[in-house]
C-alpha cells in the first residue's frame, strides 16, 4: 500500500517522459514496445501492481514495471536499490533511497496514508481514468426565517416606537436651536437634539456618569427593545444565552469622551478619564449591553459611516439564518452634537445654515435645500428566528427578508454620478431576498437634504422601480435630521411602523420640488394610507458605502 504513490508516479513517467541521449532506448525494447498495444501495457501494469498488492517483493514489482513499461534503461539509483529491504524504500529514508534527495516531512495527507498502511488496510492504485464519484446530496432544508419582535428608539421626536411614529405621521419636526453648548460662533447653530433624556431604570447611575451619550442611547434603546419584545426576567432565564447576540454599531463612537480626554491631557495625563479609551471605541456599547444581559453569542460592532445601522441589521440577520444565533439585538447609535462634531461637518460644508427657521432646514428633494441637519439618537431592533419567536409566543411586527451592501468606489463624500453603486445595491438586495421589484411599493429613502445625494438616489430609484405606479417614497430625515450611524435603524423602525399601521409619513418642507422629480412618486405634505406589500430602506455613507434592507408584513 505504501508503495502505491511510487507506482503511480512510475506509471505516469511511462506515459510522459521522453528519453534523452543519456537514457537511449535499446533496440530490442523499442521493438517490443511497438508490438505492445496500449491495452497490453495497461494489463501488464495492473498485473504488476496486483502482484505487489498481494504481498510480492517490492523490488521485483518495481523491476517488472520498469522492464515491461519504461522505454528506457533504469536509472543508476534504481539499479543500486535492487534487493533493498522495505524500510529502505518506504521508511525514514525512502525518498533519498530512490531519488537521492533528503527526506522531507510528511504532510497531513501522507500521515493519514501511513496510518492506513500500519493498520493493514489495502489501497488500490487507479491506472485507468477514475470514475466520477457520486455523493449523496444533503436534503434541502428550508431557510430559517427572521422576524422583528421588538423595537427600541431614542430620537428627537420620541423615545418610544409609537410616540415616535405618531409624531412622524403628524409632520412634527425635531429640529431646533442647539442648547447643549454655546454654538453662537458657528455658521450652523441648529440640530436634531434630544432635549430630555433619562437613564433612570435602564442604566446604573455610576455607569451613566462615565459613559458617552452614544452608549447611553444605545443601552437604553437596546433594553427598551427587549422590553417591547416581551423579554422579561423569567423569559431571560429560559433563553439559551449562547445563542443570543448583540450587533449595534456607531459611526462616530464616543467622540465626547475622547474630546474630554484631549482637554484633560492639556493639563496632565493624570487628569484623564481611565475609561476614555474603552468608552470611545465603537464596539464597547454592544459589549456593555451583552455583559449586562449575559448574552454570549455573536457580539461586535460595524462602523460604515451613515450606513452603519443597515450593515449591522443585515449581518445580525445572517447570524440567525446561518444557525449561529436565535436572537439578535441590532442597530446603531450616535451622539455627535458637540463642538468638534458640529465643527467637523461645518468644515466639510455639508450642513444647512437655515438658523432662523430650524424646522424648515431639512428639506429633501426641495430646490431650496442647502445641506443636511445633524441629529442624534439610537435605534435597536430585536431580530428573532421565526420558530423561536412562535415558541415563546412573541408578537411579530414584520418579517426581515434580507438586503445587500455595495461600494461606489468613486469618492469619499460624493455619490457616484450615475448611481451605479446604489442601483447595484438595490438589485442585489431584491435578488437575495427573492423579491420582485413590482412587489416593492414603499421606500424609506436615505435622502439627507444634500444637493447631490438626494437627486442621485431619486434617479436610481426611478431606474429600479419607475414602472411601479403604486410606489411611494419618503424621507424620515425631513423631520429628525440625519442621525449618522443611527439613521438606518431609526428609519427601519419607521418602515416597520408603516407596515404595521398602514400609514406612511409625509415629506415635510417639500415646497418646490427639484426639476426632474415626479411628485406622484413622493409622499406629499400629509400622511397617506398605503397597504404595504414589501418595503425597502436605504442608507448610504461617506466612503461610498451603500446599503438596502427589505421588510414585509409577516404572513
Amino acid at each position: 500500500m505504501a508503495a502505491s504513490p511510487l507506482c503511480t508516479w512510475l506509471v505516469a513517467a511511462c506515459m510522459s517522459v521522453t528519453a534523452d541521449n543519456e537514457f537511449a532506448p535499446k533496440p530490442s525494447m523499442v521493438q517490443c514496445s511497438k508490438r505492445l498495444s496500449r491495452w497490453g501495457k495497461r494489463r501488464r501494469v495492473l498485473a504488476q501492481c496486483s502482484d505487489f498488492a498481494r504481498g510480492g517483493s517490492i523490488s521485483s514489482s518495481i523491476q517488472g514495471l520498469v522492464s515491461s513499461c519504461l522505454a528506457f534503461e533504469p536509472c543508476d539509483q534504481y539499479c543500486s536499490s535492487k534487493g533493498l529491504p522495505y524500510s529502505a524504500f518506504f521508511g525514514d529514508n525512502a525518498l533519498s533511497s530512490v531519488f537521492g534527495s533528503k527526506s522531507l516531512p510528511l504532510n497531513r495527507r501522507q500521515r493519514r496514508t501511513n496510518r492506513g498502511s500500519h493498520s493493514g488496510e489495502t489501497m488500490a492504485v487507479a491506472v485507468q481514468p477514475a470514475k466520477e464519484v457520486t455523493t449523496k446530496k444533503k436534503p434541502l432544508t428550508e431557510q430559517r426565517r427572521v422576524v422583528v419582535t421588538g423595537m427600541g428608539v431614542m430620537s428627537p421626536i420620541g423615545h418610544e416606537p409609537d410616540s415616535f411614529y405618531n409624531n412622524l405621521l403628524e409632520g412634527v419636526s425635531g429640529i431646533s436651536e442647539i442648547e447643549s453648548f454655546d454654538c453662537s460662533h458657528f455658521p450652523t447653530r441648529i440640530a436634531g437634539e434630544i432635549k430630555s433624556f433619562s437613564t433612570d431604570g435602564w442604566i446604573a447611575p455610576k455607569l451613566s456618569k462615565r459613559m458617552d451619550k452614544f452608549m447611553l442611547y444605545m443601552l437604553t434603546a437596546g433594553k427598551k427593545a427587549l422590553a417591547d419584545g416581551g423579554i422579561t426576567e423569567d423569559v431571560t432565564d429560559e433563553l439559551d444565552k449562547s445563542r443570543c447576540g448583540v450587533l449595534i454599531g456607531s459611526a462616530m463612537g464616543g467622540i465626547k469622551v475622547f474630546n474630554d480626554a484631549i482637554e484633560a491631557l492639556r493639563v496632565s495625563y493624570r487628569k484623564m478619564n481611565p475609561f476614555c479609551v474603552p468608552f470611545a471605541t465603537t464596539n464597547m456599547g454592544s459589549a456593555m449591553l451583552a455583559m449586562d444581559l449575559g448574552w454570549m453569542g455573536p457580539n461586535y460592532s460595524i462602523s460604515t459611516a451613515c450606513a452603519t445601522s443597515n450593515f449591522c441589521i443585515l449581518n445580525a440577520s445572517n447570524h440567525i439564518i446561518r444557525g449561529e444565533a436565535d436572537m439578535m439585538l441590532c442597530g446603531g447609535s450616535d451622539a455627535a452634537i458637540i463642538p468638534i462634531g458640529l465643527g467637523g461637518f461645518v468644515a466639510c460644508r455639508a450642513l444647512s445654515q437655515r438658523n432662523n427657521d430650524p424646522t424648515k432646514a431639512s428639506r429633501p428633494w426641495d430646490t431650496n435645500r442647502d445641506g443636511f441637519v445633524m441629529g442624534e439618537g439610537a435605534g435597536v431592533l430585536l431580530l428573532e428566528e421565526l420558530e423561536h419567536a412562535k415558541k415563546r409566543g412573541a408578537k411579530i411586527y414584520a418579517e426581515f427578508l434580507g438586503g445587500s451592501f455595495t461600494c461606489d468606489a468613486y469618492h469619499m463624500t460624493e455619490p457616484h454620478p450615475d448611481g451605479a453603486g446604489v442601483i447595484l445595491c438595490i438589485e442585489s438586495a431584491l435578488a437575495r431576498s427573492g423579491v420582485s421589484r413590482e412587489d416593492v411599493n414603499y421606500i424609506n429613502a436615505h435622502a439627507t437634504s444634500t444637493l447631490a445625494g438626494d437627486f442621485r438616489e431619486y434617479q436610481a430609484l426611478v431606474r429600479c422601480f419607475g414602472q411601479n405606479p403604486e410606489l411611494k417614497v419618503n424621507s424620515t430625515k425631513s423631520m429628525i435630521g440625519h442621525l449618522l450611524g443611527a439613521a438606518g435603524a431609526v428609519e427601519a423602525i419607521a418602515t416597520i411602523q408603516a407596515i404595521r399601521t398602514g400609514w406612511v409619513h409625509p415629506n415635510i418642507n417639500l415646497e418646490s420640488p427639484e426639476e426632474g422629480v415626479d411628485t406622484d412618486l413622493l409622499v406629499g405634505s400629509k400622511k397617506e394610507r398605503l397597504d404595504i406589500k414589501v418595503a425597502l430602506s436605504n442608507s448610504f455613507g461617506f466612503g461610498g458605502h451603500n446599503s438596502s434592507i427589505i421588510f414585509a408584513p409577516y404572513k
Side-chain angles (χ1 to χ4, degrees):
M1 170 182 176
S4 299
L6 182 61
C7 290
T8 304
W9 181 88
L10 289 171
V11 171
C14 296
M15 306 302 177
S16 61
V17 177
T18 302
D20 55 18
N21 292 334
E22 185 179 353
F23 298 102
K26 292 183 178 180
S28 60
M29 291 187 68
V30 173
Q31 292 172 2
C32 180
S33 175
K34 288 180 179 179
R35 286 196 299 267
L36 290 176
S37 65
R38 183 172 300 176
W39 173 241
K41 289 181 181 180
R42 289 179 179 173
R43 292 183 62 185
R44 285 175 175 268
V45 171
L46 288 171
Q48 297 295 340
C49 291
S50 299
D51 289 341
F52 174 72
R54 288 192 294 268
S57 168
I58 297 170
S59 60
S60 62
S61 296
I62 296 176
Q63 173 68 38
L65 277 173
V66 174
S67 63
S68 62
C69 295
L70 295 183
F72 48 82
E73 289 287 339
C75 62
D76 294 337
Q77 283 90 343
Y78 169 73
C79 294
S80 63
S81 66
K82 285 198 284 186
L84 289 176
Y86 183 89
S87 60
F89 270 90
F90 302 101
D92 296 336
N93 299 318
L95 294 177
S96 61
S97 299
V98 179
F99 301 106
S101 60
K102 293 182 179 180
S103 61
L104 298 175
L106 299 179
N107 59 30
R108 186 180 299 172
R109 182 176 297 177
Q110 291 168 329
R111 288 198 296 270
R112 286 201 298 266
T113 301
N114 285 352
R115 283 199 296 271
S117 66
H118 295 325
S119 64
E121 298 174 1
T122 302
M123 178 183 293
V125 179
V127 178
Q128 292 181 333
K131 295 181 180 180
E132 183 178 355
V133 178
T134 57
T135 57
K136 292 183 179 180
K137 292 183 178 180
K138 292 182 179 180
L140 294 176
T141 56
E142 188 175 349
Q143 178 174 297
R144 287 159 59 93
R145 295 169 66 182
V146 180
V147 292
V148 181
T149 56
M151 299 181 288
V153 65
M154 299 297 302
S155 80
I157 59 172
H159 302 169
E160 302 294 338
D162 289 341
S163 61
F164 162 70
Y165 197 64
N166 287 337
N167 283 330
L168 285 179
L169 292 178
E170 296 303 318
V172 175
S173 175
I175 312 301
S176 61
E177 292 185 5
I178 295 173
E179 298 177 0
S180 57
F181 63 94
D182 180 13
C183 58
S184 58
H185 58 291
F186 286 91
T188 294
R189 298 182 291 277
I190 57 175
E193 270 189 319
I194 294 178
K195 302 296 186 182
S196 59
F197 170 66
S198 173
T199 60
D200 292 347
W202 301 107
I203 303 174
K206 190 174 182 179
L207 281 176
S208 183
K209 293 178 181 179
R210 293 174 173 173
M211 287 181 174
D212 190 278
K213 277 205 298 185
F214 100 95
M215 292 179 65
L216 299 178
Y217 292 157
M218 182 188 297
L219 267 64
T220 303
K223 291 186 176 181
K224 286 185 175 183
L226 287 176
D228 184 56
I231 307 298
T232 61
E233 289 186 7
D234 292 338
V235 174
T236 300
D237 292 339
E238 296 177 359
L239 292 176
D240 181 354
K241 295 183 180 180
S242 67
R243 297 184 59 79
C244 299
V246 184
L247 209 176
I248 308 174
S250 176
M252 307 296 287
I255 190 172
K256 175 68 163 59
V257 166
F258 197 73
N259 184 73
D260 291 347
I262 293 173
E263 294 300 321
L265 185 60
R266 297 180 189 279
V267 179
S268 170
Y269 73 90
R270 299 178 188 277
K271 298 292 184 181
M272 293 176 67
N273 181 349
F275 297 96
C276 68
V277 172
F279 283 175
T281 58
T282 61
N283 70 297
M284 197 54 62
S286 287
M288 293 295 292
L289 185 53
M291 292 176 203
D292 199 348
L293 301 173
W295 285 15
M296 301 173 66
N299 183 280
Y300 56 100
S301 70
I302 296 173
S303 185
T304 48
C306 304
T308 291
S309 286
N310 279 10
F311 275 68
C312 290
I313 293 170
L314 183 52
N315 277 278
S317 72
N318 288 336
H319 284 298
I320 295 174
I321 291 171
R322 292 195 298 261
E324 298 163 357
D326 295 322
M327 186 180 290
M328 292 288 296
L329 283 170
C330 55
S333 178
D334 259 318
I337 305 177
I338 62 172
I340 191 172
L342 181 67
F345 283 111
V346 165
C348 291
R349 300 180 181 179
L351 299 182
S352 170
Q353 298 183 17
R354 196 183 288 264
N355 298 306
N356 296 328
D357 197 0
T359 61
K360 300 284 188 180
S362 185
R363 43 199 317 117
W365 300 297
D366 191 84
T367 53
N368 296 316
R369 65 189 184 278
D370 65 334
F372 76 85
V373 179
M374 288 182 69
E376 63 180 358
V380 177
L381 300 180
L382 178 62
L383 297 186
E384 196 167 349
E385 194 273 325
L386 175 59
E387 296 305 320
H388 188 274
K390 289 166 64 176
K391 185 177 180 180
R392 70 177 185 87
K395 182 177 181 179
I396 297 174
Y397 291 128
E399 182 170 3
F400 181 78
L401 300 184
S404 181
F405 25 72
T406 62
C407 180
D408 279 346
Y410 172 73
H411 191 272
M412 281 194 299
T413 58
E414 293 295 319
H416 198 286
D418 62 7
V422 174
I423 294 170
L424 177 63
C425 186
I426 293 172
E427 292 180 344
S428 178
L430 294 173
R432 294 180 181 181
S433 303
V435 173
S436 66
R437 61 188 67 202
E438 292 77 18
D439 289 335
V440 178
N441 64 339
Y442 171 60
I443 295 176
N444 190 296
H446 179 66
T448 61
S449 188
T450 57
L451 293 174
D454 291 6
F455 193 63
R456 293 286 181 267
E457 182 183 12
Y458 173 83
Q459 289 178 314
L461 294 178
V462 169
R463 181 167 173 178
C464 292
F465 303 101
Q467 303 303 316
N468 188 347
E470 299 179 359
L471 182 65
K472 287 295 181 181
V473 181
N474 61 12
S475 172
T476 305
K477 293 182 182 71
S478 63
M479 286 170 272
I480 64 174
H482 193 350
L483 273 59
L484 307 179
V490 172
E491 291 161 14
I493 291 173
T495 302
I496 295 165
Q497 290 287 67
I499 292 172
R500 289 184 61 211
T501 63
W503 289 94
V504 291
H505 69 71
N507 287 302
I508 69 170
N509 303 324
L510 185 57
E511 299 168 351
S512 178
E514 184 174 355
E515 185 178 354
V517 173
D518 182 5
T519 54
D520 290 338
L521 191 65
L522 304 179
V523 182
S525 59
K526 300 292 183 180
K527 65 182 180 181
E528 297 182 16
R529 173 69 72 176
L530 185 64
D531 181 17
I532 297 175
K533 300 175 184 176
V534 177
L536 180 143
S537 180
N538 284 335
S539 283
F540 314 134
F542 282 0
H545 301 294
N546 306 308
S547 62
S548 299
I549 56 177
I550 299 176
F551 298 91
Y554 166 66
K555 296 179 181 179

